[in-house]
Amino acid sequence: MDIDFVFKIAAIGILTSVLAQVLNRAGREDIATLATLSGLVVVLLMVVDMLAGFFDSVRALFQL
């Protein structure tokens, strides 16, 4: 796993939490929840893409 990947996830988490806090303070709790969920979805898509690459590497290694 590349360290850049970890930093990207951390940056998305920090930006999402700051955005959620700002929206909560402005009284927009529903939009804050949607922003948090969208950050989670982006990170999950990144992880799924990384796992797909891993499984492709394993498949190529064992010639399956």
Side-chain angles (χ1 to χ4, degrees), residues 2 25 39 47 50 53 62 64:
D2 197 14
R25 301 264 185 218
V47 170
M50 185 179 188
F62 292 112
L64 297 175

Side-chain angles (χ1 to χ4, degrees), residues 22-40:
V22 168
L23 288 169
N24 276 331
R25 301 264 185 218
R28 302 296 301 215
E29 290 85 13
D30 51 342
I31 305 296
T33 303
L34 289 176
T36 304
L37 286 175
S38 65
L40 179 65

